[in-house]
């Protein structure tokens, strides 16, 4: 089987990349100009959300203190396991923990003390500086689906993902103006050897997009490859001093850190690259069925993981993560968008702020097999919960189907479009003179209408957020245009976005150096498919 190295087309010059290619002005008057504006190729990148609305504070100070006390009790009396990693056990022993076998019992207060050196926010740099984002504070950074082995689209249905699918999803991430990152493992390209596919995935992110991206965590050496490739892309000195990747470290809940995840964490923390410490919890299976019990475990696991990152390198950027779903007690399947998951998300956000750490949660989570009404309802519940819960980094913000087994191209663009609504909500209410609109009320007076008044004419283009995917036309127009449902309209939008895609410029010398590194590393190892 081919190693997949010929999948990515890298522009050989800035001119060929075409991202900033000039185009002639449309003529023919105002109507023609507006038509040209609607049909012209354009790639917009909207800055990260700056939240100007309050966050949900579901727990009282008494509730926070009780759960925190219980979490520290878990760390002190029950402990956490660091499996197959003698180095981690030795670090904990030297830090003052009680280490018996692979069980690490952390004295009350030690983990929280260690967490104090983690920064409250940091910049995730993109190769296009205009796309760099701040993670933490009042910001909300949106990144796409992560991890599915399958993809689905309207044309080919559900199937195992290949590198071509991966590249399409990266291009959609680059083209989606509300997304701030092209993500990480947007799907698993199964046509490339397991031990080599991370090279192709990183090449896609580095060359097909110029937004922030995530590194590989499936083996410590792959994390090291990610750092090495970033040193080529950004320069070694820049990478030493700045975060250019934000990577996902999942806790093997309950209370277990495996060698793969801790090994990747060690690589990234030592290199000063950001990591998300994220318990992966299905309530009732990997944590208690109660909200407070699950929050207790989440806090204990995150404190242990963040503290360990600071044992590697004090000051390493790290994010408090919480990925929590409930379980259907009838079928055993995970469920999404539930009230219980929302409560846990909101509570976890309070603890992240309590510890002065950036917070990761949320996404377009759903259990539906198709981008249908179930998918829409469950996704909307989670997206809004994440906005209100103070999330700073939202993974799975678009494209997630079937409990995370499937990346859907249509749902990717539907969700990415709806992320614009989060941007609008997060702005809060405009209380400026223009926002208060008293002059408009004076102009129109009793019994009039506002369609022609000066305030409406000055603000109509951006007064309301408008979906670019949904259909709000009259029935007759919708019917004449083919009576398309949302999935079909999304499929058409996928085709247009991919048709309009142009790779962002990349220095040819950097592109060549990346190709050489990948070729040499791949040649040094046989293919492995497990």
């Amino acid at each position: 089987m081919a190693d997949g190295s010929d999948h990515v087309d890298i522009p050989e010059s800035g001119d060929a990349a075409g991202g900033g290619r000039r185009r002639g002005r449309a003529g023919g008057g105002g109507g023609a100009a507006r038509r040209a504006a609607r049909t012209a190729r354009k790639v917009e990148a909207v800055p990260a959300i700056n939240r100007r609305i309050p966050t949900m504070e579901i727990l009282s100070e008494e509730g926070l203190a009780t759960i925190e006390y219980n979490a520290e009790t878990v760390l002190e009396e029950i402990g956490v396991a660091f499996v197959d990693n003698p180095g981690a056990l030795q670090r904990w022993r030297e830090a003052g923990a009680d280490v018996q076998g692979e069980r690490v019992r952390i004295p009350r207060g030690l983990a929280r003390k260690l967490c104090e050196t983690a920064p409250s926010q940091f910049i995730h740099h993109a190769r296009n500086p205009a796309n760099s984002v701040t993670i933490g504070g009042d910001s909300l950074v949106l990144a796409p689906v992560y991890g599915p082995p399958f993809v689905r689209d309207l044309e080919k249905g559900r199937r195992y993902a290949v590198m071509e699918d991966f590249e399409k999803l990266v291009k959609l991430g680059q083209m989606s103006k509300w997304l701030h990152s092209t993500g990480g493992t947007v799907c698993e390209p199964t046509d490339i050897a397991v031990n080599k596919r991370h090279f192709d995935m990183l090449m896609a992110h580095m060359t097909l997009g110029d937004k922030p991206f995530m590194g590989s965590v499936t083996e410590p050496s792959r994390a090291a490859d990610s750092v090495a490739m970033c040193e080529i892309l950004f320069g070694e000195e820049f990478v030493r001093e700045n975060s250019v990747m934000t990577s996902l470290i999942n806790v093997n809940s309950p209370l277990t850190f495996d060698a793969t995840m801790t090994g990747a964490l060690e690589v990234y923390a030592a290199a000063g690259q950001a990591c998300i410490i994220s318990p992966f919890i299905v309530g009732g299976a990997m944590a208690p069925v109660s909200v407070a019990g699950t929050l207790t475990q989440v806090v204990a696991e995150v404190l242990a993981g963040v503290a360990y990152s600071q044992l590697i390198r004090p000051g390493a950027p790290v994010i408090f993560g919480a990925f929590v779903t409930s379980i259907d007690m009838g079928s055993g399947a995970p469920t999404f968008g539930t009230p219980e998951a929302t409560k846990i998300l909101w509570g976890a956000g309070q603890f992240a702020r309590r510890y002065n750490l950036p917070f990761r949660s949320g996404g377009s989570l759903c259990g539906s097999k198709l981008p249908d009404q179930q998918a829409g309802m469950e996704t909307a519940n989670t997206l809004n919960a994440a906005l209100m819960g103070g999330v700073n980094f939202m993974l799975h913000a678009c494209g997630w189907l079937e409990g995370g087994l499937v990346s859907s191209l249509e749902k990717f663009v539907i969700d990415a479009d709806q992320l614009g609504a989060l941007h609008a909500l997060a702005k809060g209410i405009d209380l400026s003179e223009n926002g208060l609109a008293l002059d408009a009320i004076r102009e129109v007076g009793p019994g009039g209408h506002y369609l022609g008044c000066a305030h409406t004419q000055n603000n109509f283009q951006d007064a309301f957020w408008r979906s670019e995917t949904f259909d709000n036309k009259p029935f007759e127009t919708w019917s004449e245009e083919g009576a398309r449902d949302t999935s079909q309209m999304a499929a058409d939008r996928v085709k247009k976005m991919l048709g309009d895609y142009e790779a962002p410029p990349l220095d040819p010398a950097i592109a060549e150096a990346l190709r050489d590194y990948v070729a040499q590393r791949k040649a040094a190892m046989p293919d492995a498919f497990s």
Side-chain angles (χ1 to χ4, degrees), residues 46 191 212 228 312-313 426 465 530:
V46 177
D191 57 334
I312 301 298
R313 177 172 168 171
W465 172 79
S530 62

Side-chain angles (χ1 to χ4, degrees), residues 117-365:
T117 57
S120 60
Q121 60 184 40
F122 61 92
I123 297 174
H124 182 152
H125 292 271
R127 72 173 176 92
N128 177 358
N131 291 332
S132 297
V133 293
T134 296
I135 298 178
D138 292 325
S139 72
L140 171 53
V141 173
L142 303 167
V145 61
Y146 184 107
F150 300 99
V151 294
R152 174 184 282 278
D153 60 31
L154 205 58
E155 181 181 358
K156 298 180 182 178
R158 185 184 190 270
R159 61 195 184 278
Y160 277 105
V162 296
M163 194 62 206
E164 181 182 4
D165 300 310
F166 188 97
E167 292 174 358
K168 286 181 179 179
L169 290 164
V170 171
K171 291 176 181 178
L172 290 175
Q174 174 70 11
M175 295 288 286
S176 297
K177 69 178 181 179
W178 304 115
L179 276 178
H180 310 114
S181 168
T182 54
T185 307
V186 287
C187 64
E188 281 280 356
T190 58
D191 57 334
I192 302 174
V194 171
N195 62 329
K196 296 181 179 180
R197 63 181 60 156
H198 66 288
F199 294 114
D200 297 82
M201 291 191 285
L202 283 163
M203 285 287 281
H205 285 297
M206 291 177 171
T207 61
L208 301 180
D210 61 5
K211 294 181 179 181
F213 57 86
M214 303 174 73
S216 176
V217 296
T218 53
E219 212 277 334
S221 68
R222 297 167 198 166
D225 284 326
S226 303
V227 173
M229 291 177 71
C230 282
E231 289 173 344
I232 295 170
L233 184 65
F234 291 92
E236 291 185 25
E237 183 176 348
F238 189 85
V239 172
R240 276 198 300 270
E241 301 298 328
N242 299 280
S243 182
V244 297
M245 285 179 289
T246 300
S247 300
L248 178 63
I249 305 297
N250 276 323
V251 183
N252 192 0
S253 303
L255 302 172
T256 302
F257 290 80
D258 63 48
T260 298
M261 289 288 109
T262 55
L265 173 60
E266 289 163 3
V267 171
Y268 285 127
Q273 300 306 303
C275 286
I276 307 163
I277 308 298
S278 192
F280 189 93
I281 289 176
V282 178
M286 295 109 147
V289 294
S290 67
V291 169
T294 297
L295 272 172
T296 299
Q297 184 178 309
V298 166
V299 172
E301 291 178 349
V302 173
L303 282 176
V306 173
Y308 185 63
S309 76
Q310 302 307 293
L311 288 178
I312 301 298
R313 177 172 168 171
V318 64
I319 298 172
F320 184 122
F323 178 91
V324 178
T325 71
S326 51
I327 195 170
D328 185 312
M329 289 299 180
S331 68
T335 56
F336 301 91
T338 61
E340 295 76 24
T342 295
K343 293 176 187 179
I344 294 166
L345 188 159
W346 288 344
Q350 286 184 261
F351 278 105
R353 293 186 289 277
R354 187 178 184 86
Y355 301 139
N356 209 24
L357 293 169
F359 179 41
R360 172 258 161 154
S361 193
S364 63
L365 311 182

Side-chain angles (χ1 to χ4, degrees), residues 446-465:
H449 69 77
Y450 289 84
L451 291 176
C453 80
H455 185 268
T456 301
Q457 293 300 309
N458 292 335
N459 290 278
F460 77 94
Q461 288 185 318
D462 56 9
F464 306 123
W465 172 79

